[in-house]
Amino acid sequence: MRLYPFFLLSITCFLFLLFSCGDDDPVPSFDIEQAVGLRPVYEEDLTIERQEATEINTPGKILSYGNLLLVNDFNRGIHVVDNSDPSNPNNLFLIKIPLNTDMAVSQNLLYVDNGPDMVGLSVTPTEIKVISRIEGVFLEKISGQDYPPGNDIYFECVDKSRGAVVSWKEEVIQDPGCYKN
């Protein structure tokens, strides 16, 4: 009978040790060159800028905007095309808009999603101008999180020197440094 409390204590200690090994360390011992995982998107990554015209990779919505056609390129931005001569459209430039998937025009402004933010743009054949930005409209603000949502995922470790994380983007990551189980 005296062995019974000792036996219970031993089992309890064993279970405690077994379950205390844990999820605190995001870097398991794995040797993997690349994996589909999540990359943090920092506030600084949401910069909208004008770039040279390029090929359209993944076309989405197309809108008419005066003599311009606006062609969404999924997760890249919007191509601005001069359509004043419909038989000979001219690709003018790309508005680089990280994490952009949709757009709409209202009262001569182009509204786009830029990750978690909604941005209002003025677009002419020669330039773009950011008119307004409303932060956190499309996604729950996750600023300050060191880990992506979900479990059982490889991810690029957060670099706190780059500022706040506003979103996570799925892509192939070379030498992922972190894992969440």
Side-chain angles (χ1 to χ4, degrees), residues 56-78:
I56 300 169
N57 292 340
T58 311
K61 189 182 281 187
I62 300 172
L63 296 177
S64 177
Y65 187 79
N67 284 333
L68 301 176
L69 289 179
L70 305 174
V71 182
N72 179 255
D73 198 343
F74 191 75
N75 276 330
R76 280 184 69 204
I78 297 170

Side-chain angles (χ1 to χ4, degrees), residues 27-40:
V27 184
S29 57
F30 58 88
D31 184 24
I32 187 165
E33 291 182 24
Q34 69 179 17
V36 173
L38 296 175
R39 182 177 311 275

